[in-house]
Amino acid sequence: DSGVTQTPKHLITATGQRVTLRCSPRSGDLSVYWYQQSLDQGLQFLIQYYNGEERAKGNILERFSAQQFPDLHSELNLSSLELGDSALYFCASSVAGGLRSYNEQFFGPGTRLTVL
Amino acid sequence: GQQVMQIPQYQHVQEGEDFTTYCNSSTTLSNIQWYKQRPGGHPVFLIQLVKSGEVKKQKRLTFQFGEAKKNSSLHITATQTTDVGTYFCAGPVIDSNYQLIWGAGTKLIIKP
């Protein structure tokens, strides 16, 4: 158990709908990352938040948005869903403290999104 | 742009054979991390290499970081069924301490 929690575990919805994925980082971790992993594919970095602020953006679609709340949990919002958005969405967290600390990322179990 | 290339994409081995995956970066990396993702699971951190030429071992796994800090390898000796999964390398984005750029992963498949 990495200490990172994600809900829900599975989500089935229809095209055009909007969903929200939730992530709670490990206690003490300030950075949260969101990744998308399509079937048998690599990890596509979507976005990173650090202590409530957006820190980096990857290949995140305009239909997707995220935020990190004061209690450091994060939500990823996916709207106008398309069939191609079906994937496993991982949240990861890291301590990310200090300029000289290169912190490993701890991944949650993921949310499997199926768009029908 | 900055890239981390990982090869091969797949490797099929008989149980007991060795396995190697390679990562090559387009830029010098301050460090490189390796992760393993079991089938149906999530990526799990294995190790981080920081020094030029560094070699680290974890039982049957040997990790190397190149002298120029642009390439790395993971070698597994005498693979076992528990080694099955996808191995990813990841290095920090330039001027970022936290964001990683990921290799595409190498899937280790044990032949029946």
Side-chain angles (χ1 to χ4, degrees), chain A residues 2 31 33 35 37 40-43 45 48 55-56 90 96-105 107-109, chain B residues 9-10 30-31 33 35 37 40-45 48 50 88 92 96-100 102-105 107:
Chain A
S2 66
S31 265
Y33 311 79
Y35 293 91
Q37 187 175 44
D40 282 342
Q41 298 295 308
L43 293 164
F45 169 69
Q48 178 205 355
R55 179 61 68 94
F90 287 111
L99 289 176
R100 301 296 294 176
S101 59
Y102 303 106
N103 304 116
E104 64 265 32
Q105 295 183 11
F107 283 76
Chain B
Q9 189 176 0
Y10 301 93
S30 56
N31 71 87
Q33 300 177 15
Y35 292 76
Q37 184 177 21
H42 58 275
V44 174
F45 174 79
Q48 176 174 278
V50 179
F88 294 96
S96 168
N97 289 327
Y98 321 125
Q99 185 186 349
L100 297 175
W102 292 76
K107 192 170 186 177

Side-chain angles (χ1 to χ4, degrees), chain B residues 3-104:
Chain B
Q3 286 187 319
V4 172
M5 307 298 292
Q6 191 173 355
I7 57 169
Q9 189 176 0
Y10 301 93
Q11 189 164 358
H12 295 75
V13 300
Q14 297 277 5
E15 188 174 3
E17 291 181 339
D18 292 356
F19 161 85
T20 305
T21 173
Y22 301 91
C23 267
N24 290 289
S25 170
S26 58
T27 59
T28 302
L29 298 171
S30 56
N31 71 87
I32 193 157
Q33 300 177 15
W34 286 92
Y35 292 76
K36 176 184 178 182
Q37 184 177 21
R38 293 181 185 271
H42 58 275
V44 174
F45 174 79
L46 292 177
I47 207 162
Q48 176 174 278
L49 304 173
V50 179
K51 298 177 184 176
S52 169
E54 189 169 14
V55 178
K56 285 190 176 180
K57 292 192 175 185
Q58 290 179 350
K59 296 183 181 178
R60 295 177 294 102
L61 278 61
T62 301
F63 303 84
Q64 293 189 334
F65 200 11
E67 294 289 341
K69 301 183 76 173
K70 294 182 76 171
N71 57 73
S72 181
S73 65
L74 158 58
H75 179 83
I76 303 177
T77 305
T79 54
Q80 300 175 0
T81 55
T82 53
D83 297 323
V84 163
T86 302
Y87 293 85
F88 294 96
C89 62
V93 170
I94 291 171
D95 296 330
S96 168
N97 289 327
Y98 321 125
Q99 185 186 349
L100 297 175
I101 184 163
W102 292 76

